[in-house]
Amino acid sequence: MLRLITTSLCLRCQRVTALPLNLRPCVTLNSAENQQTVDALYDLSVDLQKVRKLKGWVLRQTPAYTNEVAELLKDMGASGSTVAQIFSVHPEAVLCHPEQMQTQTELWMSVCPNQKALLGFIEKFPASFFTCSSHNENQRYNIAYFQSLHLNNRIIAKLMASTPQSFTCPVEQNKAMVRTLQQAYQDLGGEEDNMKIWLQKLLSQNPFVLLKPPEVLRENLLFLKDKGFSTAELLQLLSKLKGFVTELNPQSMCRSLHYSQNTLGCSEAQLRDIILHCPAVLYYPESTLAERVKGLLRAGVIMSQIIDTPTVLELNTQIVNHRIQRLRELGYDIRTGSLKVLNGTKKDFEMSCGKLRLRRERPLFNPVAPLKADE
């Protein structure tokens, strides 16, 4: 019986392996799929299972230009595995007409230094490159507008990649927001000579600011002005908040400020100083601030320490607890020392730990004491 089953399985395996390419069971699962697209993707080693799961509708579209798009990507310097990866995460690319892809390449090359840089953007942001041809005119006008502002082409390319909506929308929309930002900068006493650099930093740090209506910026600045911030402080705050000033609204800021003042027990003047040093107090929700304050208190920190170093609230409780434990192992007591040592990036903190370790291991040396000389 066992021999009969084994023989039957062997014969079946022979029949399966003998199937031609267009009948491979692993290639197609749906008769409505475009067989040419499926076969081309299979030959390019694209993860068809992933494509079917996430965007199976692409495989049913006609016409498709799988091989043509793959060749154009390879002409840019893409390897076979890179092409497969792009098609796996963004299979809609196969629906992009070669002429449209050529137009997109020309538009992007007006802000990219070379094809290698362009390919890097396509790998990370394929949806930003493979766009509808109806957007070409808006893209062209928006690129020209940002270049007229003398923004760095590298920044413009990053904007195109991270917020493609900013380039597919009418150029007037971007002009309105940029004018509002420039006007706010000038009204708050910003220097004309520094405005280009200021705007470039703001857009690169949060490009989504361009997608917000100008009224949001005006409303938030008016709210902060009513809270007692001077024009110089508002300019400082606007620069520190970067583009995130448009992510705020008076209602959420009011709740966060109310919680912070009541919890920390500080005056309005102290609260403004805290915000200038740690703008995160404005945009973190009340629940997040409460969790972080409680975590610090459980670690033995007192309120006056938080008021002196409010930037510690930018770190989540898990990171704070980990860093406090590391410092404790190095003999540093956070309850009696400064909280500044907790701040900064992981690299900054590791440098601080290194200094503490050296201080702990270094032998005491008295430069005044005479050295013993051999007689």
Side-chain angles (χ1 to χ4, degrees):
M1 184 67 182
L2 180 60
R3 184 180 301 170
L4 180 62
I5 293 173
T6 304
T7 303
S8 176
L9 285 173
C10 289
L11 290 173
R12 181 170 298 181
C13 288
Q14 290 174 4
R15 286 198 296 272
V16 169
T17 55
L19 287 174
L21 176 64
N22 61 344
L23 294 178
R24 287 182 226 174
C26 58
V27 173
T28 182
L29 295 176
N30 191 335
S31 59
E33 291 179 349
N34 183 331
Q35 192 63 47
Q36 288 183 336
T37 302
V38 173
D39 289 344
L41 291 174
Y42 181 89
D43 290 337
L44 291 167
S45 301
V46 175
D47 188 345
L48 283 168
Q49 185 176 359
K50 182 177 181 180
V51 172
R52 285 193 177 99
K53 182 178 180 181
L54 299 178
K55 297 177 180 178
W57 62 270
V58 173
L59 301 178
R60 297 188 289 273
Q61 303 303 304
T62 303
Y65 310 95
T66 311
N67 290 324
E68 293 89 338
V69 173
E71 285 304 313
L72 287 169
L73 288 171
K74 288 178 181 178
D75 289 342
M76 292 182 190
S79 64
S81 59
T82 298
V83 173
Q85 176 64 18
I86 292 172
F87 284 163
S88 295
V89 299
H90 190 74
E92 299 97 313
V94 305
L95 306 179
C96 185
H97 194 283
E99 289 184 5
Q100 165 61 5
M101 186 173 172
Q102 191 62 44
T103 301
Q104 280 296 296
T105 300
E106 292 171 2
L107 286 170
W108 280 77
M109 285 304 295
S110 67
V111 292
C112 289
N114 50 53
Q115 288 195 332
K116 182 180 179 181
L118 172 55
L119 184 60
F121 282 119
I122 297 175
E123 286 184 70
K124 294 179 181 178
F125 307 94
S128 300
F129 179 81
F130 296 103
T131 60
C132 179
S133 59
S134 61
H135 296 147
N136 291 344
E137 187 173 354
N138 282 340
Q139 286 178 303
R140 187 172 288 106
Y141 285 137
N142 278 304
I143 289 172
Y145 170 63
F146 285 116
Q147 287 178 331
S148 72
L149 296 173
H150 304 292
L151 295 183
N152 189 299
N153 276 339
R154 181 175 54 84
I155 299 298
I156 299 175
K158 286 185 176 181
L159 290 175
M160 289 181 68
S162 56
T163 54
Q165 310 96 310
S166 301
F167 287 79
T168 56
C169 70
V171 68
E172 289 74 19
Q173 182 174 319
N174 285 324
K175 285 183 177 181
M177 189 59 189
V178 169
R179 279 196 299 265
T180 302
L181 289 168
Q182 291 173 328
Q183 190 63 52
Y185 177 81
Q186 291 174 329
D187 291 345
L188 296 175
E191 297 181 5
E192 184 75 26
D193 293 342
N194 295 329
M195 186 162 64
K196 186 192 85 170
I197 297 175
W198 176 83
L199 182 64
Q200 190 161 278
K201 284 184 178 179
L202 186 144
L203 293 177
S204 63
Q205 288 160 344
N206 184 18
F208 294 97
V209 67
L210 293 169
L211 303 179
K212 300 292 183 178
E215 293 74 23
V216 172
L217 176 63
R218 299 191 193 101
E219 189 178 55
N220 288 338
L221 289 177
L222 184 60
F223 170 82
L224 293 170
K225 185 177 181 180
D226 290 342
K227 288 296 178 182
F229 288 96
S230 66
T231 54
E233 289 173 335
L234 283 174
L235 180 60
Q236 179 185 344
L237 194 55
L238 183 60
S239 299
K240 283 194 171 183
L241 279 170
K242 302 156 188 174
F244 293 103
V245 69
T246 56
E247 306 293 332
L248 305 172
N249 63 73
Q251 294 75 27
S252 64
M253 285 191 287
C254 193
R255 289 192 296 269
S256 296
L257 293 177
H258 183 264
Y259 169 80
S260 299
Q261 186 170 9
N262 286 345
T263 302
L264 298 176
C266 57
S267 64
E268 290 187 358
Q270 284 179 309
L271 183 61
R272 286 195 295 272
D273 189 60
I274 289 172
I275 293 169
L276 288 172
H277 284 89
C278 181
V281 170
L282 284 175
Y283 54 78
Y284 282 144
E286 183 179 342
S287 57
T288 300
L289 290 171
E291 178 191 355
R292 296 184 179 185
V293 169
K294 288 177 182 177
L296 288 166
L297 294 178
R298 283 195 297 268
V301 173
I302 58 177
M303 287 297 184
S304 60
Q305 288 178 290
I306 300 177
I307 293 174
D308 290 339
T309 315
T311 45
V312 74
L313 294 173
E314 295 177 352
L315 303 171
N316 66 47
T317 304
Q318 183 179 1
I319 291 176
V320 167
N321 289 337
H322 170 72
R323 292 185 177 185
I324 288 176
Q325 179 60 34
R326 287 282 306 279
L327 293 171
R328 188 178 294 123
E329 293 170 359
L330 293 171
Y332 188 91
D333 190 350
I334 204 70
R335 294 169 298 180
T336 56
S338 170
L339 297 186
K340 290 181 181 179
V341 71
L342 290 173
N343 286 335
T345 62
K346 181 180 179 180
K347 183 178 179 181
D348 295 332
F349 179 71
E350 292 299 333
M351 288 178 64
S352 298
C353 287
K355 292 177 182 178
L356 288 172
R357 191 178 296 108
L358 284 174
R359 189 182 304 170
R360 187 181 184 185
E361 296 172 353
R362 185 189 303 149
L364 293 176
F365 172 67
N366 185 353
V368 180
L371 296 174
K372 291 185 179 180
D374 293 336
E375 296 180 357

